[in-house]
Amino acid sequence: MSDATLDMPVGGTAQRAGNEPLVAADGTPLKQKLAQTTRRMKLRALMLTMPLVLFVLIAFVAPIGDMLFRSLYNPTGSNVVPAFAEAIQQWDGQDLPSEETVKIFVEDLAKARRSREIGRTVGNLATRLNYELPGYRSLVTKTARRAARITEGPYKEALFAIDKRWEERIVWTTLQRITKDYTLAFYLAATDRKYDADGSIVQADELYRIYVPILWKTIWVSALITALCFIIAYPVSYLLSTLPLRISNLLMILVLLPFWTSLLVRTSAWIAMLQTEGVVNNIFVYLGIITDESRIQMIYNLQGTIIAMVHILLPFMILPLYSVMKTIPPSYMRAARSMGASGTYAFMRVYFPQTVPGIAAGTLLVFILAIGYYITPALVGGNDGLLISNLIADHIKKTLNWSLGAALGTILLVVVLVFYWLYNKLVGVDNLKFG
Amino acid sequence: MKLSQRIQSNGFYVFAAAVVLFALYTRSWAGTLGFAIIFGIPLFAMGELPPYATRAQKIGKYAYLTICTMIFIFLVLPILVIIPLSFNAEPYFSFTDGMLALDSAAYSLRWYADIFRFGMTAPDAIEGWWADMWANATWIRAARNSFFIAIVSTALATGFGTLAALGLSRPEMPFRTAITSLLISPMIVPLVITATGMFFFYGGTMQGIIPGYENGLANTYLGLVLAHATLGVPFVIITVTATLTGFDQSLIRASQGLGANGWTTFTKVIMPLIIPGMISGALFAFITSLDEVVAVIFLADVDQRTIPRQMFSGLREQISPTILAVATILVIMSILLLTTVELLRRRSERLRGLSPG
């Protein structure tokens, strides 16, 4: 500021005449000066957020981008049989590949058999082929064992002698496809589809259609959990919002305690509650509802998963509902009643519509959280309580089909982001609060 | 209505008769207590109804309060149940007959002792017991890992998060919605997806990029700290921005006008006002990290196992009441944290003049 005053031009305030624009102390037009200052302030605000934005970009967005990339990029084929991977692309897909191409394939296989490098062994190629053609794993491993012994042509006949399946065209079209580095095959697999011999997309065999049903199941289970949470949370939130602050704060602790308690603690608590020798079964036996012999299996199945997840996600429904209901003046209901509306009518026409923002916030949040849940289904889900997240984790940690896991993850991510966008539109992220 | 009046009312007689009948029928003190709680609390919570209230309205309100009582019991009972179960003398997750009869022999502290003894090389040795426990006991090592990772990641999340929240709550902030959505998204994106991405990126792509971490960040403390810091960021952003709404921006101009530089303004004017929000955000981030298990499953080796990770494998492999003993300790810790956050929230509201209490 002091600099500006020192070299203040002559044309400051004194000489302003006619239509000359207003100027700031340093001679720049006021409008321009204002724009400058605003820009600087904007930049300063932006600079404050930059460290965190960069951190989140590197530590969070980049990993997710990496996952998207790996769902499309799988270089197994060109890693194991590099020369063949180039040669086979010339093939037009009719009959069988040329003798020359098959020769390269045999040589590549023999070389790959000696490789011990991770990701470049015959086993990798065999597994990759097996994803596309279930049961064909042995074809590659068996052929690779004998490939070194084939020293002269005709190479095709030599392969046919090892295994009849080399005469099938689909083996070669599949090999042609999986030796390309970029592929949509894992998205097809994740949506229960596959390529046929001619490269067109068809439905997978009945037996292998598992992912789409699980995705639908995840969605309806999440919807059911959301609905149950809503039904349970609504009366409680109403009670909390109408009680005097002193009492409602005390009761709020009962809601917040589960919210603050470790997820694992709550899941183990539900195992203790619901197992066949657990508290709930004991109560039923005491009450004579069931006999000691016919105790109900309530955990390690879908039912147990739903009960535990409703309990875990309930605070996320109660808190937004409560914060909206607290702002509704009780006099509105009294006014409706005094003008002759019945209790139900006043509730439906006056009270309920005012709680809709809270309902939108609560249901969307619970649904978003439920759809990606992993720990609770993994621990108490048994076999029929498994959700899509469990399949993703299995592909990453157990079967090691990383690309398929990544493709399933991407599909789940898209579903979640659609609901997140909806949440942003309807509720706004700024309105997220705890306690 | 006075207590004496309420006890004389018809409802109370019906309730008392029902409790007695229930006790005679089930002959269990625990069951009767539960029955009395579920149906007794609503009776005392009925409050004063207008004199013209019909019988149907009275019954309706009683039914509504009973449902609410049951929901509150649904919320806290599972958490409270594990506390007595952790004192079980038998290696089960269920109440034994002895426990229900309040037989002191049916209760023991053996599972709490097990927290320290499990994994030790010589749990009965007298010499070097402490060093052995500190170094080898499985749960103690898990607790050390948990706290180390939680403290470092909380510091990261709170530092960066507060700074960003200060920027986000300025009125002239550009792209506010987009940046907020980005910063909140670690809370929204399913943990399995975050963990999968980090498994690929930290474990594979990062190989050879950071000096000292040639094999990538998988199976390292740094990887876990980064993951947990990311997951804690949304909580810090949300709580600190909440404290800053209603923050009088002219205070900043006033302090600048009086000649304070940026740093003095921050420490003397902004900081005292937002410190409650910062602390509750930090506590949220801390508890998130302490509780997080998916990223640990994907990114950690045996050496970096945390308490929830240990509970996860315990629940999958051998269910032992040691888990319940650990759980009880965690519940007590959450109660302490919850109380702190609640007190801070009230203090903050009082400071900003939002509520009288």
Side-chain angles (χ1 to χ4, degrees):
Chain A
M1 265 308 178
S2 54
D3 296 349
T5 23
L6 276 179
D7 48 29
M8 185 169 69
V10 240
T13 35
Q15 289 186 356
R16 184 159 48 79
N19 289 335
E20 247 181 84
L22 287 163
V23 288
D26 59 355
T28 45
L30 207 53
K31 223 176 194 174
Q32 205 182 325
K33 186 75 185 171
L34 183 68
Q36 238 174 40
T37 320
T38 335
R39 202 162 50 239
R40 199 175 321 130
M41 281 170 81
K42 274 187 180 173
L43 203 66
R44 198 176 294 161
L46 203 60
M47 287 314 290
L48 282 173
T49 59
M50 266 314 121
L52 185 63
V53 169
L54 279 180
F55 178 77
V56 169
L57 283 180
I58 294 170
F60 177 73
V61 178
I64 287 178
D66 199 356
M67 183 189 78
L68 299 187
F69 178 65
R70 285 191 198 226
S71 67
L72 293 168
Y73 176 76
N74 188 318
T76 311
S78 57
N79 275 347
V80 181
V81 284
F84 171 73
E86 267 177 49
I88 187 80
Q89 303 311 331
Q90 314 302 326
W91 178 46
D92 60 359
Q94 300 302 313
D95 301 326
L96 290 179
S98 66
E99 185 66 22
E100 181 59 22
T101 315
V102 176
K103 176 173 181 259
I104 297 172
F105 179 62
V106 172
E107 287 166 1
D108 265 1
L109 263 192
K111 243 182 269 167
R113 184 153 154 69
R114 290 191 295 273
S115 164
R116 289 285 170 274
E117 209 179 322
I118 297 166
R120 290 175 193 275
T121 64
V122 170
N124 294 116
L125 182 69
T127 312
R128 180 75 180 83
L129 182 69
N130 200 53
Y131 292 153
E132 309 270 330
L133 296 172
Y136 279 62
R137 192 188 155 78
S138 60
L139 178 65
V140 176
T141 48
K142 185 163 116 190
T143 311
R145 270 199 302 277
R146 304 189 192 164
R149 266 178 268 155
I150 309 173
T151 43
E152 55 193 21
Y155 288 90
K156 269 191 218 171
E157 269 64 37
L159 284 187
F160 298 161
I162 294 172
D163 197 309
K164 275 282 175 229
R165 284 181 289 183
W166 286 116
E167 289 174 39
E168 295 169 23
R169 191 163 60 92
I170 189 164
V171 175
W172 295 101
T173 49
T174 309
L175 275 177
Q176 184 183 31
R177 208 172 45 245
I178 65 177
T179 46
K180 287 181 195 151
D181 288 351
Y182 293 90
T183 173
L184 278 175
F186 294 102
Y187 282 95
L188 292 183
T191 49
D192 294 340
R193 270 157 241 272
K194 62 170 187 182
Y195 291 107
D196 65 2
D198 298 317
S200 47
I201 296 164
V202 292
Q203 281 252 302
D205 305 329
E206 199 85 47
L207 192 65
Y208 294 103
R209 284 181 213 161
I210 43 174
Y211 300 113
V212 173
I214 288 272
L215 186 63
W216 282 118
K217 183 179 163 192
T218 308
I219 290 176
W220 78 252
V221 166
S222 309
L224 178 67
I225 289 168
T226 313
L228 287 173
C229 278
F230 171 68
I231 293 170
I232 297 176
Y234 203 87
V236 172
S237 317
Y238 178 75
L239 183 73
L240 286 172
S241 69
T242 49
L243 285 174
L245 203 61
R246 195 168 40 85
I247 303 173
S248 76
N249 269 343
L250 274 180
L251 286 179
M252 206 57 188
I253 289 175
L254 299 187
V255 177
L256 289 174
L257 178 63
F259 186 74
W260 277 90
T261 310
S262 162
L263 180 68
L264 267 296
V265 170
R266 283 182 282 169
T267 308
S268 31
W270 277 109
I271 294 177
M273 290 287 284
L274 294 179
Q275 59 179 334
T276 41
E277 295 297 319
V279 177
V280 175
N281 263 313
N282 280 346
I283 292 174
F284 284 172
V285 172
Y286 273 131
L287 295 180
I289 297 173
I290 54 171
T291 60
D292 206 8
E293 291 79 44
S294 61
R295 285 166 175 268
I296 311 168
Q297 178 71 38
M298 282 187 279
I299 200 117
Y300 304 120
N301 53 24
L302 186 59
Q303 188 191 347
T305 312
I306 292 176
I307 296 175
M309 279 175 70
V310 166
H311 179 251
I312 288 164
L313 295 173
L314 200 51
F316 290 97
M317 185 70 93
I318 295 181
L319 293 177
L321 274 179
Y322 167 72
S323 66
V324 166
M325 285 178 176
K326 212 169 47 174
T327 62
I328 301 174
S331 53
Y332 287 9
M333 273 293 270
R334 285 205 292 272
R337 294 298 301 275
S338 77
M339 283 186 258
S342 73
T344 341
Y345 189 82
F347 175 78
M348 288 308 292
R349 295 302 294 271
V350 176
Y351 193 80
F352 187 78
Q354 296 184 79
T355 59
V356 166
I359 298 175
T363 45
L364 281 172
L365 195 59
V366 169
F367 187 81
I368 290 172
L369 293 175
I371 204 168
Y373 238 71
Y374 167 66
I375 293 298
T376 311
L379 284 175
V380 302
N383 282 327
D384 70 335
L386 291 183
L387 302 180
I388 191 89
S389 309
N390 305 91
L391 289 188
I392 298 173
D394 272 358
H395 279 308
I396 306 293
K397 297 296 285 183
K398 284 196 196 130
T399 60
L400 302 185
N401 190 350
W402 289 355
S403 298
L404 183 56
L408 284 169
T410 310
I411 292 173
L412 178 61
L413 181 66
V414 169
V415 175
V416 168
L417 286 183
V418 167
F419 282 96
Y420 185 39
W421 174 81
L422 204 65
Y423 184 91
N424 243 331
K425 280 273 150 202
L426 294 179
V427 189
V429 267
D430 319 1
N431 293 329
L432 220 52
K433 273 195 207 86
F434 308 104
Chain B
M1 211 196 292
K2 294 265 168 50
L3 190 67
S4 55
Q5 278 174 303
R6 188 174 298 157
I7 288 173
Q8 280 160 11
S9 70
N10 292 337
F12 182 78
Y13 289 123
V14 176
F15 167 71
V19 170
V20 171
L21 276 178
F22 188 88
L24 289 175
Y25 175 63
T26 59
R27 295 184 177 280
S28 124
W29 65 267
T32 312
L33 187 68
F35 184 85
I37 287 175
I38 293 179
F39 293 99
I41 288 179
L43 198 66
F44 283 93
M46 281 287 275
E48 224 165 323
L49 281 175
Y52 52 80
T54 61
R55 169 165 293 187
Q57 275 173 332
K58 279 183 191 161
I59 293 176
K61 176 145 196 208
Y62 180 74
Y64 168 68
L65 287 174
T66 313
I67 290 171
C68 286
T69 313
M70 285 167 139
I71 294 171
F72 280 119
I73 289 174
F74 170 74
L75 273 169
V76 289
L77 183 67
I79 296 170
L80 297 184
V81 150
I82 58 175
I83 296 175
L85 276 180
S86 68
F87 295 101
N88 199 341
E90 306 289 328
Y92 307 124
F93 254 42
S94 52
F95 286 100
T96 54
D97 291 335
M99 293 179 86
L100 290 175
L102 296 182
D103 178 6
S104 64
Y107 293 88
S108 89
L109 286 171
R110 61 186 280 207
W111 306 113
Y112 287 88
D114 204 46
I115 296 177
F116 299 99
R117 295 163 61 95
F118 183 67
M120 278 174 67
T121 43
D124 294 317
I126 294 166
E127 202 165 320
W129 190 89
W130 286 101
D132 187 14
M133 186 269 281
W134 186 249
N136 295 324
T138 314
W139 286 102
I140 300 300
R141 214 174 52 190
R144 276 162 52 202
N145 283 334
S146 271
F147 279 95
F148 172 71
I149 294 168
I151 288 169
V152 181
S153 60
T154 302
L156 270 177
T158 316
F160 283 140
T162 308
L163 212 58
L166 282 173
L168 284 174
S169 60
R170 290 197 174 194
E172 64 271 8
M173 177 70 198
F175 318 115
R176 188 204 314 273
T177 324
I179 291 181
T180 316
S181 313
L182 172 74
L183 298 181
I184 302 288
S185 58
M187 197 178 92
I188 297 293
V189 172
L191 276 170
V192 160
I193 294 178
T194 314
T196 303
M198 287 173 172
F199 174 74
F200 289 144
F201 188 70
Y202 292 178
T205 313
M206 291 276 266
Q207 275 177 12
I209 292 184
I210 301 180
Y213 291 91
E214 270 67 31
N215 292 324
L217 297 180
N219 303 339
T220 65
Y221 286 102
L222 181 62
L224 286 170
V225 163
L226 287 182
H228 282 187
T230 322
L231 296 175
V233 159
F235 296 96
V236 178
I237 295 280
I238 290 169
T239 46
V240 180
T241 7
T243 327
L244 282 167
T245 50
F247 177 80
D248 192 353
Q249 297 281 336
S250 58
L251 287 178
I252 297 179
R253 282 198 291 278
S255 115
Q256 282 168 343
L258 292 169
N261 60 18
W263 178 247
T264 316
T265 310
F266 180 73
T267 50
K268 299 275 179 193
V269 178
I270 305 176
M271 187 86 154
L273 280 166
I274 64 166
I275 200 101
M278 269 174 75
I279 296 177
S280 28
L283 287 178
F284 266 112
F286 184 75
I287 201 111
T288 310
S289 164
L290 215 55
D291 192 19
E292 206 288 325
V293 58
V294 186
V296 182
I297 291 175
F298 277 69
L299 289 175
D301 206 355
V302 185
D303 288 339
Q304 291 102 29
R305 281 204 166 188
T306 59
I307 295 177
R309 178 71 183 85
Q310 195 65 36
M311 288 178 83
F312 184 79
S313 41
L315 286 173
R316 281 202 143 179
E317 288 143 25
Q318 17 71 277
I319 289 196
S320 107
T322 313
I323 294 172
L324 295 182
V326 176
T328 306
I329 296 175
L330 290 180
V331 168
I332 291 166
M333 214 167 71
S334 7
I335 293 176
L336 291 178
L337 284 177
L338 169 65
T339 322
T340 319
V341 170
E342 187 62 20
L343 291 177
L344 282 171
R345 192 179 59 83
R346 290 191 191 170
R347 183 186 144 81
S348 154
E349 283 184 357
R350 208 169 49 238
L351 271 181
R352 293 181 296 145
L354 290 185
S355 87

